[in-house]
Amino acid sequence: MKKQMVQLAAVSIGIVLTAGCIQQGTEEPLQFHTPDTYPIETDVTLRYWMELSPQVSANNTSFNATELAAYLEEATGIHVKYEHPAAGQADAAFHLLRSSNDMPDIMERTWSDMPGGAEKLINDGVLADLTPYIEHVSPNLKNLLKENPDWALQMMTDKGKYFEYPFIRPDEKLTACMTYIIRKDLLDKAELAVPETLEEWETALYAFRDMGIEAPLSLRLGSYQFAKFSPFTGVFGIGSSFYQVGGTVKYGPYEPEFADYMKLLRKWYEDGILDKEFANEDSKRRAALVVNGKNGAVDATIGGEFGTYLNMIPEESTIQYVAAKIPVRTAGDIAMIAQKDWPVRDCAGISGSSKNKEIAARFLDFGYSKQGHMLYNFGKEGVSYEINGGVPVYTGAVIQPNQNGGLTAEQGMAKYVRACYGGPFVQDVNYIEQYYQREEQKQAMELCDSDTLDYRLPVSLNISEAEQKRYADIMAQVNTYLTETLENFVSGNVETGYLDAYYAQLKRLGIEEAIDIQQSAYDSYLKRKRYLK
């Protein structure tokens, strides 16, 4: 272990342990004193505030009681006390923390979503400017950012200040989790291949209808799915929420092509292709359609929904679902847009009032080391994983219900690792390849390819507090109106000529102002590149 720790220290390029050259306003220069190897000798106890994952709470009332918490303390030498808000009360609890004089050292939140973004949180003293800490006492993360500058852009403010130790998913298999699944048994009956183009999809769906299938296509069309998945909009060359093309921000439902999209959905509805209850997003109803053979195709998450459906279908049933590629206009094309997240997700920040910033930084940086990577993703060798053919493989005590006390794979993992719900580390693709235990899920993972990130806006756009309030007010009205219009238009409650009034109403509601706000924020995001070294 000592040899490995020395090797870890080697990734520290040019690290200065007693730097006296970093100025923050009129403050005295920062001095750094901790060694660059683990474990660190310290009597400091860090306070770490985070929501307790449901996967963890299935076994423990606190992260303190997990095996991983003990592993991390043993490896880093740093004692950490984890604190959790009550379930469902994180926002209110964090608000109270901000107004108190008792801030913990480390906190996990989605910082980019907060009014004014991370820049305001730093200015208000809620978060520390982590730029000097990443530069001088975080060699592991520093090295990763040097190799992946696009990651750095997603974890800094528009003024170039780092504000977090993020959760990073470097492989596209880790960032795409939604797809379409379709009845292979019905395709075989109709002598059809799994559809790829829009034309092939329609051929299959009409065949399902003619077989008497109640809901040939179950498609969710709510604001969440529009923002995340863009259901079938890519074949019209648009996203279904905000996106950009060549640096110009657009809003899909305000583009002319959205009218053609709605007309197609209306035709499908009238022809009995689209589920008559498309506006009903009840998950139990959808599952019942799938399990009872009343559905032909459905959008689904690969892990939660697809896996659940496969396990619910009786073994003796002839129902067989497989994944399909994201629909395109022309065979062989890569889909324009679907569900795919950016690699960097907000995670751990250090409070501006912490008296232990350096120790907190050293603790968090451990997650990006080789040893930290293995602990966060797989736990301890011989206990929660074994090396098989050079690949870490979870033991039965982790993912097998007959050995882990009847837990799901996620719940079993959460006793030992954070790979299944995120944290301050780089997620390993071997995690997801074992989490998806059914072959159908693994095949689905391979079919999610799309050019989404060429169009999707980064999640870390910084909108000022005043603009954010205005933007929220506009979009609350726009989302409500869009949902109502879509439901009424597709189900035939309004004439097709209503579309002219639809676009005019979006303009009256302020959609062009909302686009301008997003454009300004995106322009500022692109300018962050000047801070990269």
Side-chain angles (χ1 to χ4, degrees):
M1 181 177 290
K2 289 182 179 179
K3 181 179 179 181
Q4 186 179 22
M5 291 172 183
V6 172
Q7 291 173 336
L8 290 174
V11 302
S12 173
I13 301 176
I15 187 169
V16 181
L17 298 177
T18 57
C21 58
I22 305 298
Q23 288 287 140
Q24 290 186 314
T26 58
E27 296 178 5
E28 291 296 318
L30 292 174
Q31 300 290 327
F32 298 107
H33 306 285
T34 55
D36 58 351
T37 57
Y38 299 98
I40 294 170
E41 291 187 11
T42 178
D43 58 1
V44 167
T45 294
L46 295 176
R47 293 172 56 205
Y48 195 133
W49 189 91
M50 66 181 190
E51 291 186 72
L52 187 63
S53 166
Q55 290 92 330
V56 176
S57 62
N59 300 288
N60 303 109
T61 58
S62 170
F63 186 79
N64 292 293
T66 64
E67 297 294 330
L68 179 57
Y71 297 160
L72 290 172
E73 180 168 347
E74 177 185 1
T76 64
I78 302 170
H79 180 63
V80 180
K81 179 183 178 183
Y82 297 90
E83 303 171 4
H84 312 291
Q89 300 298 315
D91 289 341
F94 183 74
H95 180 73
L96 290 175
L97 277 180
R98 286 188 63 170
S99 59
S100 74
N101 294 317
D102 191 31
M103 293 280 283
D105 298 290
I106 300 171
M107 303 167 290
E108 290 188 13
R109 296 297 287 153
T110 306
W111 309 110
S112 302
D113 288 348
M114 295 192 175
E119 189 74 52
K120 184 177 189 308
L121 294 172
I122 291 174
N123 292 337
D124 291 348
V126 177
L127 288 180
D129 175 1
L130 298 179
T131 308
Y133 295 95
I134 290 176
E135 173 68 21
H136 293 281
V137 291
S138 304
N140 299 297
L141 180 56
K142 177 183 175 181
N143 194 49
L144 282 174
L145 298 181
K146 183 178 180 181
E147 296 172 353
N148 303 276
D150 286 346
W151 295 355
L153 288 180
Q154 297 171 58
M155 50 177 284
M156 67 169 57
T157 71
D158 289 344
K159 293 185 178 180
K161 299 175 184 176
Y162 288 116
F163 60 89
E164 66 174 337
Y165 288 77
F167 177 47
I168 301 174
R169 296 165 294 174
D171 194 293
E172 289 192 354
K173 293 179 181 178
L174 297 166
T175 58
C177 64
M178 294 181 69
T179 190
Y180 300 96
I181 59 174
I182 192 166
R183 290 277 296 276
K184 179 67 164 59
D185 56 305
L186 298 183
L187 290 173
D188 290 344
K189 184 178 179 180
E191 299 183 341
L192 296 171
V194 177
E196 180 178 347
T197 67
L198 180 62
E199 181 180 0
E200 291 169 348
W201 267 92
E202 288 194 317
T203 299
L205 295 175
Y206 279 102
F208 295 169
R209 180 201 63 182
D210 294 343
M211 293 177 190
I213 298 299
E214 179 181 324
L217 176 63
S218 295
L219 200 63
R220 287 171 290 198
L221 301 173
S223 57
Y224 177 83
Q225 285 74 32
F226 267 30
K228 290 288 186 181
F229 192 42
S230 294
F232 275 89
T233 66
V235 294
F236 292 90
I238 57 173
S240 56
S241 186
F242 290 96
Y243 64 105
Q244 62 82 28
V245 178
T248 299
V249 174
K250 299 176 180 290
Y251 181 64
Y254 194 54
E255 291 295 302
E257 293 84 356
F258 196 76
D260 297 328
Y261 170 68
M262 288 203 290
K263 290 175 183 177
L264 176 67
L265 293 179
R266 182 175 179 134
K267 182 177 187 299
W268 284 355
Y269 182 88
E270 292 172 343
D271 291 351
I273 298 304
L274 182 63
D275 185 355
K276 292 294 183 182
E277 295 190 46
F278 69 89
N280 180 0
E281 296 188 20
D282 180 75
S283 59
K284 291 183 179 179
R285 176 186 175 274
R286 285 167 57 88
L289 287 174
V290 169
V291 174
N292 295 326
K294 297 180 179 181
N295 171 262
V298 61
D299 55 4
T301 58
I302 301 173
E305 292 170 332
F306 191 19
T308 298
Y309 297 158
L310 290 172
N311 291 332
M312 290 175 65
I313 297 172
E315 290 186 8
E316 65 275 11
S317 174
T318 59
I319 298 171
Q320 182 186 7
Y321 277 89
V322 295
K325 290 183 178 181
I326 308 301
V328 293
R329 281 283 183 184
T330 305
D333 286 353
I334 296 177
M336 170 192 173
I337 196 165
Q339 183 274 320
K340 185 181 291 184
D341 296 332
W342 286 90
V344 173
R345 195 171 81 189
D346 283 357
C347 191
I350 298 175
S351 72
S353 59
S354 172
K355 299 183 184 303
N356 304 302
K357 294 184 181 71
E358 183 177 348
I359 295 295
R362 295 292 291 127
F363 177 79
L364 291 170
D365 187 57
F366 176 77
Y368 308 98
S369 68
K370 292 180 181 179
Q371 186 183 9
H373 178 84
M374 294 303 294
L375 281 181
Y376 273 105
N377 282 286
F378 303 106
K380 181 168 286 190
E381 186 174 3
V383 178
S384 53
Y385 79 94
E386 301 284 358
I387 297 296
N388 186 354
V391 175
V393 178
Y394 294 114
T395 62
V398 176
I399 59 174
Q400 296 300 329
N402 61 346
Q403 297 182 48
N404 69 10
L407 302 173
T408 65
E410 280 185 309
Q411 292 168 346
M413 288 177 181
K415 295 168 63 176
Y416 303 94
V417 304
R418 291 191 63 173
C420 54
Y421 61 93
F425 65 98
V426 178
Q427 194 178 43
D428 195 299
V429 71
N430 285 301
Y431 142 75
I432 199 72
E433 292 175 347
Q434 295 176 70
Y435 169 58
Y436 293 156
Q437 297 188 338
R438 299 286 294 261
E439 284 302 315
E440 296 93 334
Q441 291 174 289
K442 294 177 181 179
Q443 292 168 5
M445 180 173 58
E446 300 291 341
L447 298 176
C448 290
D449 194 22
S450 70
D451 289 331
T452 298
L453 296 187
D454 290 341
Y455 302 96
R456 176 149 288 160
L457 294 175
V459 295
S460 58
L461 297 186
N462 183 45
I463 299 175
S464 71
E465 193 168 14
E467 284 185 322
Q468 198 159 41
K469 185 179 186 308
R470 175 60 180 155
Y471 175 80
D473 289 343
I474 292 172
M475 293 312 299
Q477 296 180 75
V478 167
N479 287 332
T480 298
Y481 178 67
L482 174 60
T483 299
E484 292 173 350
T485 299
L486 195 67
E487 182 175 347
N488 286 325
F489 184 85
V490 172
S491 58
N493 292 333
V494 295
E495 297 299 322
T496 55
Y498 180 76
L499 289 175
D500 290 337
Y502 159 78
Y503 285 105
Q505 179 63 8
L506 284 183
K507 185 174 183 177
R508 281 192 293 271
L509 291 175
I511 190 59
E512 292 181 352
E513 184 180 351
I515 293 172
D516 288 343
I517 291 173
Q518 288 278 15
Q519 182 72 63
S520 178
Y522 185 57
D523 291 343
S524 295
Y525 170 86
L526 294 176
K527 291 177 183 177
R528 295 178 193 176
K529 293 180 180 180
R530 67 184 185 271
Y531 297 111
L532 298 178
K533 295 180 180 180

